[in-house]
Amino acid sequence: MSDNRMRCRLVGLFSLLVVAAAPVSADGLLRPTLDSIRDARTVAVEGIPLLSGRLLAEFYAQRGDVLVWVDPVRISDLLDLAQRSVSEGFRPQDFHAESLRRLAAPGVLESLSGNARIAADLVLSDALARYVHHHRYGKLDPVAVDSKWHDRAPASSEVLLGAMNRALGGKDLATSLNAQFSRPFWYEDLKKALERYTAQASLAELSPLPAGSNLAQGGRHPRVAMLRERLARLDGAAVAKPSDADLFDTALHEAVVSFQRRSGLTADGVVGPSTLAALNGHGDETKAEQIRINLERMRWLYQDLPEDYVFVDVAAYKVHLARGASFVWSTRVIVGTPETQTPMFRDTMDHLVFNPTWTVPVSIQKKMGRVSGDYRLVDRRTGKRVAGGDARDHGRYRLVQAPGPKNALGRVKFMFPNRHAIYLHDTPGKAAFGRQARALSNGCVRVQDPLDLAEAILAQPNWDRSGIERVVERGQTRYVDLADTLPVLLYYLTAFADGDGKVGFRQDIYGRDGALRAAFASPVLRTRISFPELPVEGPSPDPEQLKRAPGTEPPDPPGPNTAVRLSRRGSAEPPDGEGTSATNGAEPEISTVDHSAASPAGRL
């Protein structure tokens, strides 16, 4: 059944339930309605799409299946949050701002009953769910935008529901919500830049608001109508007009206060010289939109970051080590070509490998004939080294390059096991780091100063630069666990700002901005959300089988005196460049995207 037919069917069922049980209270109708939408892929109430029927069903179940929105003040607070969300790059209509504005009006909520009352409550709860989801995980599911080059687990229903309930349990909705969203410094820097661009770009085609005496609530002036129009452009929704267009009424006062707050101005509702200057700004809307979509990209991966992490800035050809609220170390990198792009995802670095071997990707191996003594052939069936085989027979043999100065991975690689077989590593070819554009690899990230990065990451007395160089000079492969695992964020960002909000716009080397811009401007009908499942009785699975995806090969057995394991890790090491890992799927009734087409292996 198509999404449209499903939506129509559910709305029809919704109406049928109401008509059949009209004498029953709204609360009595709520659970049957929620049960009817629980398993739908897409659902709309009175033409308004709901993000997830199951999420709302569980939300109301946790609250005793009663109507949630009974206080108009709470609805006004939610409306204010929706309007102020433009400072994060959203549009107020992403959170049903028009419906919120209507339902926040005095007496409207109390006048509703039956079908209309339940619909209003569901729309309000969906607005809250979207606000939490979009701010914590991003408006869009990156896998839905492009499953080949983006990767991220589904949003957690437990996190979403917990945040929604905590928000409603607090005295102030805005304080309760915003306290739950921890944002890294580089997101705040770009957000600061958007504030300047947003206040300018959306007003470019309008005539400036003329200077004059201050405008304030209760006053009447011909400039008030122009003020209302400019605020409507900024907020993305019309400001309610009184019968007297020149009257500065309460609704306009609230709109001015909202604008002043997100613009960093004194939120007194008075349009004086500073507020007038902000309102009269204008700029390049294309650049403002580029900032918005990059804020969206940042939201995809920034959840619950610790103080220390590795930040790969793909489009800027840089890698940074973050500690606290700053980048403490940076160097140049080489990233994937437009044909073999470096994907955008987040994983966890848990160990380094000094003097690594390199398993040659099949795409390269099948083009090779005779190979030098730097390589060895390994039978894929037995895992044993063989002599005299044809290296091009990639179905039978794996081709492995021994450690050494000519090894394609150089002297060290930084491992964060992931299904893309992507990692950071050294390279013997240093000349390419002098180029301005460095999209040259098969997908992995080559690091200009890898030993410095290793020293900074290990940060231990026994692993200073001299200690690392002694290990490298010995030529043996060594695996070294990190004392604490380290998140690795591989970001593709075409706009990035410094601490002063000054933006650098990068070339869209992979051509990803267009699709993201179109998706970000469209409404979101559903998203992937993971829900906890009941335990299944039966024997416990083999932990090693859980780690290995179907088709993943067992590790190379170490040759005599070729590898020394200096770590607490007992798990097997996947072949260099060939390891993949399974990705947890979402619930079948939630929109899912097949990841099978996005498993490039053996990247360099």
Side-chain angles (χ1 to χ4, degrees), residues 516-559:
L516 177 55
R517 189 177 290 110
F520 192 66
S522 302
V524 175
L525 302 182
R526 62 179 182 267
T527 193
R528 292 182 308 146
I529 300 176
S530 64
F531 295 85
E533 295 299 328
L534 295 175
V536 178
E537 294 184 3
S540 299
D542 180 2
E544 290 302 319
Q545 291 180 351
L546 292 177
K547 293 176 185 175
R548 192 177 304 143
T552 302
E553 311 236 35
D556 271 343

Side-chain angles (χ1 to χ4, degrees), residues 1-15:
M1 182 181 295
S2 69
D3 288 347
N4 288 336
R5 289 178 59 194
M6 175 65 80
R7 189 181 302 116
C8 292
R9 173 180 172 275
L10 289 169
V11 173
L13 178 59
F14 181 90
S15 301

Side-chain angles (χ1 to χ4, degrees), residues 195-218:
E195 292 174 2
R196 294 162 46 184
Y197 273 83
T198 299
Q200 298 173 357
S202 60
L203 308 174
E205 65 187 78
L206 294 180
S207 299
L209 187 63
S213 58
N214 290 354
L215 300 176
Q217 185 176 357

Side-chain angles (χ1 to χ4, degrees), residues 17-87:
L17 286 168
V18 173
V19 172
V24 184
S25 68
D27 291 40
L29 291 172
L30 181 58
R31 177 42 54 185
T33 302
L34 292 167
D35 289 342
S36 74
I37 69 174
R38 177 184 177 88
D39 296 326
R41 282 174 56 82
T42 59
V43 61
V45 172
E46 295 188 348
I48 298 173
L50 306 181
L51 190 66
S52 168
R54 180 171 177 180
L55 186 74
L56 291 180
E58 298 201 3
F59 172 65
Y60 280 93
Q62 290 180 359
R63 303 186 69 84
D65 285 338
V66 298
L67 298 175
V68 172
W69 301 90
V70 295
D71 183 1
V73 174
R74 185 61 59 86
I75 302 173
S76 296
D77 291 344
L78 188 57
L79 171 61
D80 187 51
L81 285 172
Q83 291 175 331
R84 289 160 57 186
S85 68
V86 294
S87 67

Side-chain angles (χ1 to χ4, degrees), residues 237-256:
V239 180
K241 296 180 180 180
S243 56
D244 184 353
D246 293 341
L247 175 64
F248 196 125
D249 63 347
T250 301
L252 183 57
H253 171 81
E254 292 173 354
V256 171

Side-chain angles (χ1 to χ4, degrees), residues 276-306:
L276 183 68
L279 287 166
N280 278 338
H282 61 86
D284 185 348
E285 172 60 20
T286 301
K287 295 298 186 184
E289 190 63 18
Q290 191 170 347
I291 294 174
R292 292 188 190 100
I293 64 173
N294 281 281
L295 284 169
E296 172 68 5
R297 283 182 172 126
M298 290 178 173
R299 288 186 287 264
W300 291 347
L301 304 181
Y302 72 8
Q303 302 85 18
D304 303 316
L305 271 179

Side-chain angles (χ1 to χ4, degrees), residues 349-354 415 457-458 460 463 478-485 565-571 573:
M349 185 183 300
D350 56 10
H351 70 287
L352 277 60
V353 183
F354 291 105
M415 296 300 295
I457 287 176
L458 291 173
Q460 299 175 19
W463 290 104
R478 292 196 175 186
Y479 300 78
V480 181
D481 274 359
L482 304 187
D484 298 299
T485 59
R565 189 106 179 139
L566 297 183
S567 75
R568 298 179 299 278
R569 288 164 46 89
S571 60
E573 181 72 21

